[in-house]
Amino acid sequence: MVGLVDTDSFAKWGAHLLATAPTHWRLELWTVATPRSASRGQLRSAFRGLDERLAHLATAPPEPLDVDTIVEQLRQDPPDAVLVSLIGPVAELVIDEVHRRVPRRPVLVTGLPGISFPAKWKGVFFRARADLFVLHSHREVRAYEELAREGGVEPHFTLATLPFARPAPAAVGAGTGAGARARAGARARVRDSVVFAAQPSVPAERADRARVVGWLVETALRHPEWRVVIKGRAGAGEHQTHREQHPYPALVPADAPANLVVESGPMADHLERAVALVTISSTAVLEAAARGVPALTLTDFGTGRQLINEVFVGSGLEGDAIDLVEGRFGTVRPEWMHDNHFHPDAENDWAGRVDALMAERDAGTLVDRPAARRSRGGELRRAWERKNALGPGDRSALGAVATVIGAPVRAVKRVGRQVVRLVRPTETPVLLAPTNQRGAGAGAGAGAGAGSGSGASDRLGDREQELVAGGDPR
């Protein structure tokens, strides 16, 4: 099986899913060159903690290859299966190219990194021609099956435990040597950090992101014994799967306390030092829960689809800025776990289904799935989609022609959509009210912290109201 990856999150997911494949599978991983491909530093971070078949990638990430080179290599020496771990437009392009250009094509497996609930049509649309689509909870599988049927796509979903939602291995970075394992053990004995897992697009507005920074400043001031870590995923000039308009480091005030720090690196390393993990809705919260690290999903902005936090309703992890500042964190509720990412390994069927599809390929009975895209345009339309996916990386003459024709059409469509929004405004997103850890019952407030469980924390005074309202943290 060959894995194809591009952005930071797809690189991490694809590599770690491959590492959970049956031990008798031979694995390779290639990086696809796109405008948003992960840097070598991001790849080294993403590839930490893989099994011995892929452990070398953490020190020697593969050089990016363009799509045509990738497809030609698959044509010259086709593997049994390909894991297409790529952003939507690039995934659609690669899947289409393999269908068209690789005789006796490999089984095409795809999926989405991290939390994929609620289900999103674009995820299905771009990957409809893949033979198998990997999801990571029973709840996600049900939601995507319903969405696919509504869109006229035959469901092709399968279940695998999210690679990051597994208990921590005995030593991080398998295959990296006894010295590294000893250092990992030493780090594991120190628990002094509250880690905020930043996301590039949640929340989206600058003012909201500044509020989050204010809460983290207040937490650092209130708890000088902690390192409060803003954990980012990209440095200057590096790309992410989702574009980040207002990076958190730029919002940290010049007079922030010394124990508020901005760091990057593998999340696994940060969790080894973590007192708790805090986020809006990052998949990192599942990593924390799997390792027994208390966590908090901030609901101050509400709970809704665009915040990607509906999945955490009833999880026991929901909280607000007051919980954060007072050091009150949650532990995941057992009744929430089975349907949401923490099912038994015995219920995973992705590897068995890939095996069955590889047998069909060997027998010549593997059936091609139709695309969800119904638009016409032939080669010119294909060139347009390729140009959209690869940007400057596509230097074809037909791509240039498609851009000359398609760019004005797209501009007119955008203007039309803006006019429609003015005439018929879109519905205001439905947001549930914020929730918190205070008075949440048994299991709440299980995290560390001086304020955890105190009677005073149950009374909302002026200071706490100011925090929730986003006032000056000083």
Side-chain angles (χ1 to χ4, degrees), residues 20-37:
T20 68
T23 55
H24 66 279
W25 289 15
R26 186 162 61 87
L27 308 176
E28 296 180 46
L29 188 140
W30 305 342
T31 304
V32 182
T34 73
R36 290 154 75 179
S37 292

Side-chain angles (χ1 to χ4, degrees), residues 66 115 135 140 172 181 210 220 230 233 238 250 258 270 280 294 299 323 331 336 349 356 427 450:
D66 63 68
I115 296 167
L135 293 168
E140 289 179 354
V172 176
R181 288 193 292 272
I230 299 176
R233 297 190 339 203
E238 292 182 323
H270 288 281
I280 308 296
T299 64
D323 292 321
T331 54
W336 179 87
D349 61 352
E427 294 182 9

Side-chain angles (χ1 to χ4, degrees), residues 230-300:
I230 299 176
K231 195 278 182 189
R233 297 190 339 203
E238 292 182 323
H239 299 285
Q240 301 181 70
T241 301
H242 302 285
R243 301 186 192 280
E244 187 168 26
Q245 295 293 331
H246 309 290
Y248 281 105
L251 302 176
V252 176
D255 60 347
N259 61 325
L260 177 68
V261 297
V262 177
E263 296 181 350
S264 57
M267 178 56 74
D269 288 354
H270 288 281
L271 291 176
E272 288 172 4
R273 288 187 69 169
V275 172
L277 186 286
V278 182
T279 188
I280 308 296
S281 56
S282 170
T283 301
V285 75
L286 300 178
E287 296 185 58
R291 294 164 180 257
V293 175
L296 203 63
T297 60
L298 297 173
T299 64
D300 301 81

